[in-house]
Amino acid sequence: MRPNQHELFGAPPAPRSFDKDALGFLIAYARKHKGQPFSAEQVTLAAIKRGIAPPDLRNWGRVFTQAARDGHIRRSEVLFSRAMGNGSLAPGWIGT
């Protein structure tokens, strides 16, 4: 059986509209929870409930990177258990 393009190269990048919608959602989420640590999974799951979802959840990484670069969020010292990461611990985020 011959592998398809997605198996060889991964999912295609999410459309630019996802990036804009996701960044706006993340900024609003961070403002609403300002000063309170939150996990990336909390944000992505809340966004999915609102219909903001990329074809590959790894696309959220660049959204968080951009929000941190722009000063909307920063890393917290609180560790969260990742439900989508086999329970591994990851530092959360804080809205600035």
Side-chain angles (χ1 to χ4, degrees), residues 8-92:
L8 292 173
F9 303 108
R16 295 309 301 165
S17 64
F18 163 76
D19 287 353
K20 289 174 65 178
D21 293 345
L23 183 60
F25 184 88
L26 174 54
I27 292 168
Y29 191 97
R31 285 180 182 156
K32 184 176 180 182
H33 297 89
K34 190 171 185 172
Q36 303 171 16
F38 57 86
S39 73
E41 287 183 348
Q42 289 171 316
V43 175
T44 57
L45 293 174
I48 289 170
K49 288 181 182 177
R50 294 272 179 99
I52 301 170
D56 184 336
L57 289 177
R58 292 175 291 187
N59 289 328
W60 274 99
R62 68 174 174 253
V63 175
F64 277 86
T65 299
Q66 185 64 49
R69 190 178 303 131
D70 293 345
H72 299 290
I73 59 174
R74 64 176 169 79
R75 281 292 191 179
S76 78
E77 294 182 12
V78 177
L79 298 177
F80 289 87
S81 179
R82 297 180 54 226
M84 292 182 263
N86 296 321
S88 62
L89 296 177

